[in-house]
Amino acid sequence: MIILYHHFSVDTRSYKDENSILDNINQYVEASANQGSKLGNDYLFYASSISIEKYNLQNAKNTDVDNQNNKIVYFLSSFLLLFVIVALIFYIKYRVVKKHCDSLLKENKQLVEAKIEAEKLTNIKSQFISTVSHELRTPLYGVVGISTLLLEDTDIADKHKKLLNSLKFSGDYLLDLINKVLKISKIESNNEKITKTPTNLAKLSQNLLFSFEYQAKNKKNKLALEIPDELPDVLNIDSLKISEVLINLIGNSSKFTENGTIWLRIKILSISKDSVTIRYEVEDDGVGIPEDKKEFVFEKFSQIGREANKSEGTGLGLSIVKNLLEMMDSEIHLDSKEGRGTRFYFDLELEIIDEKEEKEIHPNTSNINTIYRRILVAEDNKINQIVTKNLLNIIGYDCTIVENGFNAIQMVQKEDFDLILMDLNMPYLNGTEATKRIREFDQEIPIIALTASELSEIREECLSIGMNDVINKPLDKNDLKNIISKHLSR
């Protein structure tokens, strides 16, 4: 029996489940039945042992199922906990981002309101400066104009001419100051626009440089102009703005140079059929700029030499140059060594204009004054009337003067005039309304606006109502002569 039990025990371990074991026992019992009833008791013992083994196997199976269920529960719990943690992190992040977005929206709203308020204040400031500059220019017209007329008189004693020159210089200086302050205001308020016209750059540069001849003589300076022969005759450029740039740069060199030379150069960097890239240079051999001052010279109200009380002007010139060149897609550069002079330079890419258009820029005005011409001047200021009339007489024109727009309309209806100089600000009927009414019955007569306002502010409006051109007061004799000749030659 012991041998059978051992055999059976070994057999039970070779089967995977209790059913297989029972089948094996049944087979074993049936095989042993023939050996007699003696084995009956042994069979009962073996059966009990098998039941115990079956119980142990069932218990092990239940334990495995429980372990598996525990693993599933643990996995689900971990997943749920992780999900809650991630959800919580995202919620906290959402709250932080939302709070930040709300803060940004609030700040943006405040910035927009501040921007609107700043633009409003800038426009008010610009309007104020424009109005003040107009009021200052009107009496300056008398100061500069009368001193110019007196200097034309050959009978004035030399000692009086020196005083008149000083008076005119002071008037011109004050006018230049007003123009620069107004220019800065216009640039800051974004009212400055680029207006390109066909221009002979060589002649323009020559005229600008030698307009400083009087200052050069006083400081014993020489003026040198260098222009390559290959430079095209006519280029498309904003002649007013390039003139302002060059005047400020040449004026700056003149201010800090004595017994030296001031050069104005044009260099060609590249050229094609339709365009040319040029470099403008303004150089002097004056006092130069200290190294620690170079980064400040283009800031507003920055001056070199203030400490020694030798500086002149407001310190606005180079700031205006920088801003104007940025509008023209260029940039001002500086080379300077203290005691050895200064060189400013900038590059421009310009369109080449067909030479046929040059004839339109410089019309043939020869002998234009040999024909008798009558000009009507509408001007309410008595001093301005005197100055304008004398300037017209000097350049060879006769004129009739009226004091307001109503009288101007009546004179044009009654008499024949070749051209009208129309002041914009007059009592009873201003120059704008008078021009509109004149254009109702006369579309041909040239009308030129006279104004102390900045030209760029009112040019478009004047041209839109039928005026042919605009000229700034105080009037310059040569500018007045050129603009009249231009329109009488058509």
Side-chain angles (χ1 to χ4, degrees):
M1 184 181 68
I2 295 173
I3 296 170
L4 285 173
Y5 176 77
H6 177 74
H7 173 77
F8 178 74
S9 298
V10 172
D11 282 347
T12 59
R13 293 188 185 95
S14 63
Y15 293 92
K16 295 181 178 179
D17 55 39
E18 66 274 15
N19 293 325
S20 299
I21 295 172
L22 290 174
D23 290 340
N24 188 54
I25 291 173
N26 291 330
Q27 291 174 6
Y28 182 79
V29 171
E30 288 176 0
S32 303
N34 296 325
Q35 296 181 14
S37 58
K38 182 181 177 181
L39 298 175
N41 293 330
D42 294 335
Y43 171 77
L44 293 174
F45 174 78
Y46 296 145
S48 299
S49 300
I50 293 303
S51 297
I52 294 170
E53 188 72 20
K54 180 180 177 181
Y55 173 79
N56 291 334
L57 288 172
Q58 183 65 37
N59 189 43
K61 181 179 179 181
N62 292 337
T63 302
D64 290 339
V65 170
D66 290 341
N67 290 337
Q68 187 176 2
N69 289 338
N70 289 337
K71 288 181 180 179
I72 292 173
V73 171
Y74 176 78
F75 174 78
L76 290 176
S77 300
S78 300
F79 177 79
L80 182 61
L81 179 62
L82 180 63
F83 176 79
V84 171
I85 294 172
V86 172
L88 184 62
I89 291 173
F90 273 101
Y91 177 74
I92 294 172
K93 186 176 181 181
Y94 164 77
R95 294 292 300 174
V96 172
V97 171
K98 187 176 184 301
K99 184 177 179 181
H100 184 62
C101 288
D102 291 342
S103 177
L104 286 177
L105 288 173
K106 184 177 180 181
E107 290 178 4
N108 286 341
K109 184 178 180 181
Q110 292 174 345
L111 287 173
V112 169
E113 292 175 353
K115 180 176 179 291
I116 293 172
E117 186 65 21
E119 289 176 347
K120 182 179 178 182
L121 292 174
T122 299
N123 290 332
I124 292 173
K125 182 185 74 172
S126 179
Q127 184 61 42
F128 171 76
I129 293 176
S130 179
T131 302
V132 170
S133 69
H134 179 275
E135 295 302 317
L136 290 172
R137 278 172 169 169
T138 299
L140 272 176
Y141 183 23
V143 174
V144 175
I146 291 175
S147 59
T148 300
L149 292 174
L150 291 174
L151 287 170
E152 295 282 344
D153 191 348
T154 57
D155 295 333
I156 293 180
D158 290 339
K159 63 178 182 178
H160 293 156
K161 281 191 175 182
K162 290 182 180 180
L163 294 174
L164 287 172
N165 277 322
S166 298
L167 177 63
K168 187 175 184 303
F169 176 81
S170 298
D172 289 337
Y173 179 81
L174 182 56
L175 180 62
D176 180 64
L177 171 59
I178 293 170
N179 290 337
K180 284 180 177 178
V181 171
L182 183 61
K183 178 64 64 178
I184 286 290
S185 175
K186 284 175 62 60
I187 291 173
E188 289 179 346
S189 59
N190 295 320
N191 288 329
E192 194 76 7
K193 306 296 180 185
I194 295 292
T195 305
K196 294 183 179 181
T197 56
T199 304
N200 187 312
L201 211 53
K203 292 182 179 179
L204 175 68
S205 302
Q206 183 179 19
N207 292 336
L208 288 174
L209 180 63
F210 291 107
S211 66
F212 287 86
E213 192 170 3
Y214 177 77
Q215 289 178 264
K217 287 181 179 179
N218 287 341
K219 290 196 170 185
K220 298 179 181 180
N221 290 325
K222 295 179 181 179
L223 301 175
L225 180 65
E226 299 177 8
I227 299 177
D229 296 333
E230 298 82 10
L231 183 70
D233 290 332
V234 185
L235 299 170
N236 202 29
I237 192 172
D238 191 322
S239 58
L240 291 178
K241 288 182 175 53
I242 193 64
S243 296
E244 288 183 68
V245 169
L246 295 176
I247 286 172
N248 279 300
L249 291 178
I250 298 170
N252 188 75
S253 291
S254 179
K255 185 191 305 182
F256 295 105
T257 305
E258 293 184 10
N259 298 309
T261 304
I262 299 172
W263 292 270
L264 175 60
R265 301 188 188 95
I266 298 179
K267 295 180 178 180
I268 296 178
L269 302 182
S270 64
I271 188 169
S272 64
K273 180 180 178 182
D274 300 320
S275 66
V276 60
T277 301
I278 65 169
R279 171 168 292 176
Y280 256 116
E281 294 183 357
V282 176
E283 185 176 1
D284 63 70
D285 52 5
V287 297
I289 300 174
E291 193 68 31
D292 60 338
K293 302 289 186 181
K294 288 182 180 179
E295 59 180 308
F296 303 112
V297 296
F298 296 108
E299 295 181 4
K300 286 182 288 187
F301 307 108
S302 174
Q303 292 181 313
I304 306 300
R306 169 70 76 182
E307 298 82 357
N309 294 321
K310 293 182 180 180
S311 61
E312 301 173 1
T314 59
L316 292 173
L318 293 180
S319 176
I320 291 173
V321 166
K322 178 183 177 182
N323 287 308
L324 289 177
L325 286 177
E326 286 176 354
M327 293 176 62
M328 301 170 74
D329 297 324
S330 185
E331 184 179 359
I332 187 69
H333 299 278
L334 166 66
D335 285 334
S336 182
K337 290 186 178 180
E338 190 172 7
R340 296 186 180 182
T342 303
R343 179 174 71 104
F344 292 98
Y345 64 94
F346 58 91
D347 301 337
L348 293 170
E349 183 177 355
L350 305 174
E351 178 190 2
I352 299 174
I353 302 298
D354 194 295
E355 292 185 3
K356 293 179 181 178
E357 299 186 35
E358 187 180 5
K359 296 178 180 179
E360 299 179 9
I361 304 169
H362 302 286
N364 183 13
T365 57
S366 60
N367 300 323
I368 197 164
N369 290 334
T370 59
I371 304 173
Y372 182 73
R373 301 285 189 174
R374 290 192 66 200
I375 294 177
L376 177 65
V377 178
E379 170 66 72
D380 63 307
N381 186 282
K382 295 296 183 182
I383 296 177
N384 293 349
Q385 290 176 0
I386 296 171
V387 173
T388 304
K389 182 175 181 179
N390 281 276
L391 284 175
L392 289 171
N393 289 339
I394 289 172
I395 60 180
Y397 297 107
D398 187 24
C399 71
T400 300
I401 295 177
V402 294
E403 295 185 349
N404 56 64
F406 282 121
N407 293 341
I409 294 170
Q410 293 172 352
M411 290 298 295
V412 174
Q413 290 173 332
K414 289 191 299 183
E415 301 183 24
D416 293 329
F417 293 95
D418 298 293
L419 184 139
I420 301 174
L421 295 176
M422 181 78 74
D423 183 39
L424 294 180
N425 296 291
M426 294 182 291
Y428 306 114
L429 189 69
N430 62 35
T432 301
E433 293 300 322
T435 299
K436 290 179 181 178
R437 297 191 188 185
I438 290 173
R439 287 304 182 214
E440 293 176 359
F441 61 86
D442 191 334
Q443 296 289 328
E444 301 298 328
I445 187 170
I447 303 177
I448 299 173
L450 299 177
T451 179
S453 301
E454 180 68 17
L455 292 183
S456 57
E457 292 180 358
I458 46 86
R459 178 182 291 278
E460 186 175 344
E461 179 185 356
C462 290
L463 297 179
S464 67
I465 63 172
M467 290 184 168
N468 299 85
D469 217 329
V470 186
I471 188 170
N472 226 168
K473 295 189 290 186
L475 296 177
D476 177 80
K477 181 182 72 174
N478 292 327
D479 290 342
L480 183 61
K481 179 180 179 179
N482 291 336
I483 199 169
I484 291 175
S485 298
K486 171 183 173 182
H487 290 283
L488 289 182
S489 63
R490 293 180 175 178

